[in-house]
Amino acid sequence: MSESEKKQRRQRRSFRPEFKAGAVKLVLEEGKSVAAVARELDLTETALRKWVEQAKADKGQGKPGALTSEERVELSGLRKRVRQLEMERDLLKNLRRQIWPEPQVLPL
């Protein structure tokens, strides 16, 4: 097996919320290890660990400062809105300069 075959990345998959909830339940409620559940369900440990941490945060049991899923969605929307407003501001600045150019101040 060549070096590139060993390090070939797994194709990105998407999972239904019900599947994620079931996997998280196996870890949190049934006490199985993240590694065991990941192997059992053919997942990466990293992905499953993130799901578990997010589920804990959503229940208010996460690490201090961890965002809930709802807060993450809101933050994403707010960031998008800020980008849009910054673009509009820059456009208006450029338009103002075209309509009312700054007067040239002559040195005395």
Side-chain angles (χ1 to χ4, degrees):
M1 189 183 288
S2 73
E3 185 93 17
S4 63
E5 289 174 329
K6 286 181 187 176
K7 295 191 179 195
Q8 189 175 21
R9 289 188 143 207
R10 191 183 266 217
Q11 187 175 15
R12 187 173 203 88
R13 300 180 290 171
S14 60
F15 299 94
R16 299 179 62 109
E18 298 85 8
F19 178 82
K20 291 180 179 182
V24 167
K25 184 179 177 181
L26 291 172
V27 174
L28 295 180
E29 295 178 17
E30 296 187 18
K32 293 186 176 184
S33 72
V34 170
V37 174
R39 271 192 312 275
E40 203 174 292
L41 298 177
D42 190 32
L43 300 169
T44 63
E45 285 184 43
T46 305
L48 181 55
R49 192 168 282 109
K50 285 181 183 178
W51 298 349
V52 169
E53 290 301 319
Q54 189 61 57
K56 286 180 181 177
D58 289 347
K59 291 180 182 178
Q61 302 167 349
K63 296 176 183 176
L67 299 177
T68 65
S69 295
E70 193 174 290
E71 291 169 330
R72 285 180 182 276
V73 169
E74 181 182 12
L75 181 60
S76 175
L78 290 171
R79 285 179 174 161
K80 184 177 181 180
R81 181 72 177 136
V82 166
R83 280 192 307 274
Q84 179 183 354
L85 290 170
E86 286 174 342
M87 284 180 14
E88 289 174 6
R89 179 203 60 202
D90 293 343
L91 179 68
L92 289 170
K93 276 183 177 179
N94 289 334
L95 185 61
R96 183 186 60 85
R97 283 189 200 120
Q98 290 174 7
I99 295 174
W100 298 290
E102 307 246 348
Q104 297 275 336
V105 177
L106 299 172
L108 297 173

